[in-house]
Amino acid sequence: MVLALALSANRSCLCSSTTFHPHPLLNPSPSLHFSPSTFHPQPLCSLIKQHIIPQPSHKASIHRRRCSNSLATADAQFASIIALFQDIGIGFEETQVLLCNNHDLASVPIDSLHVRFLSLRSLGFDPLTLCKLVTKRPTILTANEIDPLLTFLRDNLQGKLEKQQLNRLLSSTEQEFLESFPQKVQFLVDRGIPVDQVVHVLNKVNLSKVLCRRSLEEIDRTISFLEPFGGIALILKRPQILNHDLDTQIVPRVKFLMELSDGDEDSVGKVLLRFPIFLNYSVAHVEEHVGFLSSFAEFDYKQIFRIIQVYPAIVTTSRERKLRPRIQFLKECGLDSDEIFKFLIKGPTFLSISFNENIAYKLVLLVKIGYRYRSKDLAMAIRSATRTNCGNMQKVISLFLNYGFSCEDIVAMSKKQPQILQYNHTSLEKKMEYLIEEMGRDIEELLLFPAFLGYKLDDRIKHRFEVKKLVRGRGMSINKLLTVSEETFAGKRKKVMP
Ligand SMILES: *[C@@H]1O[C@H](CO)[C@@H](O)[C@H](O)[C@H]1NC(C)=O
Ligand SMILES: *[C@@H]1O[C@H](CO)[C@@H](O)[C@H](O)[C@H]1NC(C)=O
Ligand SMILES: *[C@@H]1O[C@H](CO)[C@@H](O)[C@H](O)[C@H]1NC(C)=O
């Protein structure tokens, strides 16, 4: 009956032969194949019976009769595998395809299959993932070489590898590379990755590429190359760096920064530690940025590297959409190359914050209170304003207006002390209250000494005022009171005190 079905089956066959062969469990010869599509959905046990009950008309029946003792065992094994696979959602037909294509599955003792399943489950594989893994790579259940790896993952890594990483590792790495995994992890630890952080690294890198396919020598070379530039600290900060190829990506990219910095390993290391994603960008990309800054802003390499040091994310900023219009704006405000450079060193985020939702809004505010459009003063004010949000800036302006200052006063003060527009409005208000109520001063003194608003209220203003008020009374110069250094202040105080 099975034979008839097989011959009449018109569907394409997954295996190489279209003729019926006995189930490999019954005749475990490697050349045996059969098509799963020859079976119609029927109750499981009857299907198994069709397999193992000798068909009198079939030539294999002679063989079957001879080894009828093993038939019961084979029957039980087949049923167990079907049941085992069904547990993780692999159906009868799929199981047959698997058995048909992987003769090891049929020959491995059912107990060790069970153990392997439990082992994988204990590593965190849920049935669905396990189903996909086993379907894609059935040798995961049979290969003995996997055992040390699974033990390592469970005991040494304490099952802490993320499920997705584990799955990628097991499903897409060739067996020969997989076996070296424990040794390579150990090597990372030997090379200085702290044991308690190695899993953090493993969870972030492409394990197949970085650990399995790469030789120990290559891993070693990569770590050695990175040593002067942060080394292990850099790897821990962004393990994905290891995904890059050493010779075609990491080396040329670091070399380019080295040239720009005039060979300053320390500074290049600091840039990378601060912004490891820099290494994501190709030399061609960074070169274009550098070329642009050099031609459009007329910066020299030293200046460009300096900007990269304070703002490495400039590499992610679009040249045409952001860099060009903003530098153009600064030029229109009358800044020359050196002034643009100083501007960018102090307020580099000006290059990347949103124009429409941020800069434009602040420009409107500044122009409203009296800044002349396209003036250097406006550029300075906008530089300060990059460090605050529009809401705070508006509140700061309202606060000054509420205390009786005019717009001209605000512009005058912020020209003297551009930061006043970036200060937190809550703390500005507290300082202004203290100035008037505790120190008994006139708020207009701020016009002469707006820097007052930049000192810390508790640490400097209150502290110094408390110390001096008895000696000097209310007439003291708040400028002198606050601007002298801590040492001078402490020294002078000792002389005054008996
Ligand atoms: C990991 O690296 C391998 C080999 O280079 C590549 O084929 C695979 O797509 C990578 N996997 C991921 C998730 O990026
Ligand atoms: C860095 O590059 C990799 C590919 O090389 C990419 O998958 C990743 O998203 C990039 N990361 C960032 C932050 O650009
Ligand atoms: C401003 O300062 C107050 C306290 O001085 C603080 O609670 C508030 O979060 C600050 N606001 C901003 C935007 O930093």
Side-chain angles (χ1 to χ4, degrees):
M1 177 201 162
V2 175
L3 177 64
L5 277 172
L7 293 174
S8 66
N10 210 9
R11 282 176 283 173
S12 70
C13 183
L14 288 174
C15 303
S16 56
S17 166
T18 49
T19 53
F20 174 74
H21 292 288
H23 188 274
L25 281 172
L26 303 174
N27 190 357
S29 145
S31 63
L32 287 181
H33 297 284
F34 69 89
S35 164
S37 56
T38 56
F39 294 97
H40 287 303
Q42 285 179 45
L44 185 63
C45 54
S46 78
L47 282 168
I48 293 169
K49 271 186 190 140
Q50 284 170 12
H51 263 294
I52 61 159
I53 290 173
Q55 305 289 312
S57 62
H58 196 277
K59 59 181 177 188
S61 63
I62 299 153
H63 168 75
R64 282 179 189 164
R65 244 175 252 125
R66 261 197 273 125
C67 54
S68 65
N69 269 352
S70 62
L71 275 182
T73 326
D75 186 12
Q77 168 119 359
F78 185 53
S80 299
I81 292 180
I82 296 285
L84 197 59
F85 279 28
Q86 212 142 44
D87 274 353
I88 58 164
I90 302 182
F92 183 77
E93 293 200 354
E94 285 168 286
T95 304
Q96 288 194 320
V97 181
L98 286 171
L99 286 167
C100 154
N101 289 331
N102 302 277
H103 301 284
D104 284 351
L105 268 185
S107 55
V108 155
I110 191 78
D111 282 351
S112 52
L113 278 186
H114 257 299
V115 169
R116 184 63 58 83
F117 260 102
L118 289 176
S119 185
L120 289 165
R121 286 301 298 270
S122 77
L123 282 171
F125 274 101
D126 57 77
L128 183 64
T129 317
L130 199 50
C131 166
K132 286 185 188 151
L133 176 65
V134 167
T135 313
K136 181 169 178 198
R137 168 171 276 216
T139 50
I140 214 77
L141 294 175
T142 55
N144 286 329
E145 297 82 358
I146 302 283
D147 271 328
L149 175 65
L150 296 182
T151 306
F152 179 81
L153 291 169
R154 191 190 59 221
D155 297 346
N156 299 66
L157 300 186
Q158 296 163 339
K160 282 184 185 155
L161 209 57
E162 278 165 17
K163 212 172 63 184
Q164 199 186 28
Q165 285 290 82
L166 190 62
N167 188 35
R168 282 199 192 121
L169 174 72
L170 294 182
S171 63
S172 60
T173 314
E174 294 81 351
Q175 185 102 17
E176 57 189 300
F177 297 123
L178 213 45
E179 284 161 35
S180 66
F181 181 77
Q183 186 198 6
K184 308 251 175 81
V185 175
Q186 183 58 49
F187 185 71
L188 288 184
V189 172
D190 294 343
R191 283 301 260 109
I193 308 254
V195 177
D196 59 345
Q197 293 187 64
V198 78
V199 173
H200 157 70
V201 173
L202 298 179
N203 277 331
K204 293 283 193 297
V205 301
N206 179 336
L207 293 174
S208 178
K209 180 174 175 180
V210 171
L211 286 183
C212 298
R213 282 166 217 222
R214 240 171 238 171
S215 67
L216 280 179
E217 191 266 334
E218 269 179 285
I219 298 173
D220 186 46
R221 274 203 313 127
T222 308
I223 297 177
S224 299
F225 178 79
L226 291 174
E227 235 149 48
F229 309 102
I232 300 297
L234 180 59
I235 293 172
L236 289 175
K237 176 108 189 257
R238 187 170 164 85
Q240 293 91 324
I241 280 178
L242 296 175
N243 288 339
H244 297 306
D245 182 71
L246 179 64
D247 296 315
T248 63
Q249 296 178 316
I250 298 179
V251 170
R253 291 170 193 185
V254 171
K255 271 198 174 145
F256 187 79
L257 274 177
M258 280 296 285
E259 279 167 29
L260 211 55
S261 75
D262 200 18
D264 186 349
E265 278 182 350
D266 245 25
S267 299
V268 170
K270 278 185 192 138
V271 166
L272 294 179
L273 265 177
R274 187 157 165 212
F275 196 71
I277 293 167
F278 207 101
L279 287 180
N280 243 35
Y281 292 87
S282 70
V283 171
H285 174 94
V286 183
E287 247 170 6
E288 282 189 63
H289 264 60
V290 169
F292 173 78
L293 291 172
S294 151
S295 65
F296 194 63
E298 297 172 47
F299 296 158
D300 60 27
Y301 277 8
K302 201 172 163 185
Q303 287 175 315
I304 294 171
F305 185 68
R306 200 58 206 113
I307 288 176
I308 290 175
Q309 279 180 294
V310 299
Y311 192 60
I314 191 173
V315 76
T316 68
T317 310
S318 152
R319 276 186 308 277
E320 293 307 320
R321 216 160 34 78
K322 297 213 154 169
L323 298 187
R324 184 186 295 280
R326 277 144 215 234
I327 292 174
Q328 180 63 35
F329 170 82
L330 297 179
K331 285 181 173 181
E332 286 168 10
C333 286
L335 272 57
D336 65 19
S337 174
D338 270 352
E339 287 166 328
I340 293 176
F341 171 70
K342 282 180 193 137
F343 179 106
L344 294 182
I345 290 294
K346 293 226 170 114
T349 52
F350 172 74
L351 292 176
S352 50
I353 50 178
S354 155
F355 194 87
N356 287 338
E357 286 155 32
N358 193 324
I359 298 175
Y361 190 85
K362 290 171 182 170
L363 281 174
V364 168
L365 271 179
L366 291 170
V367 170
K368 249 188 194 168
I369 62 170
Y371 273 98
R372 202 160 47 79
Y373 194 59
R374 295 192 172 148
S375 63
K376 279 192 190 179
D377 288 331
L378 178 67
M380 290 308 122
I382 203 76
R383 186 188 81 196
S384 236
T386 56
R387 293 176 186 262
T388 185
N389 59 50
C390 309
N392 186 64
M393 193 166 136
Q394 185 153 42
K395 282 178 184 152
V396 168
I397 290 171
S398 304
L399 184 67
F400 283 124
L401 292 172
N402 289 342
Y403 269 82
F405 290 105
S406 66
C407 288
E408 293 76 34
D409 294 338
I410 302 172
V411 170
M413 283 190 293
S414 73
K415 280 184 187 172
K416 260 192 161 156
Q417 181 83 5
Q419 299 95 309
I420 60 167
L421 293 175
Q422 86 195 32
Y423 295 143
N424 176 333
H425 71 96
T426 316
S427 65
L428 270 194
E429 184 158 20
K430 283 187 190 152
K431 289 173 196 176
M432 286 157 81
E433 266 171 21
Y434 188 82
L435 181 74
I436 296 169
E437 285 164 22
E438 302 299 322
M439 299 176 76
R441 312 300 288 236
D442 193 337
I443 193 72
E444 283 178 14
E445 288 196 47
L446 288 180
L447 284 172
L448 292 173
F449 186 53
F452 171 84
L453 297 169
Y455 291 102
K456 288 206 171 108
L457 183 57
D458 291 325
D459 295 355
R460 191 117 174 180
I461 300 175
K462 277 188 185 173
H463 167 70
R464 291 195 174 190
F465 180 66
E466 294 296 320
V467 169
K468 292 279 174 144
K469 70 178 175 189
L470 297 176
V471 186
R472 295 254 182 103
R474 300 204 150 195
M476 72 180 105
S477 151
I478 52 170
N479 186 333
K480 273 191 194 155
L481 176 74
L482 292 170
T483 46
V484 297
S485 71
E486 208 61 67
E487 293 73 26
T488 316
F489 185 76
K492 276 187 184 161
R493 191 165 50 128
K494 268 181 207 130
K495 272 180 223 153
V496 170
M497 307 246 287

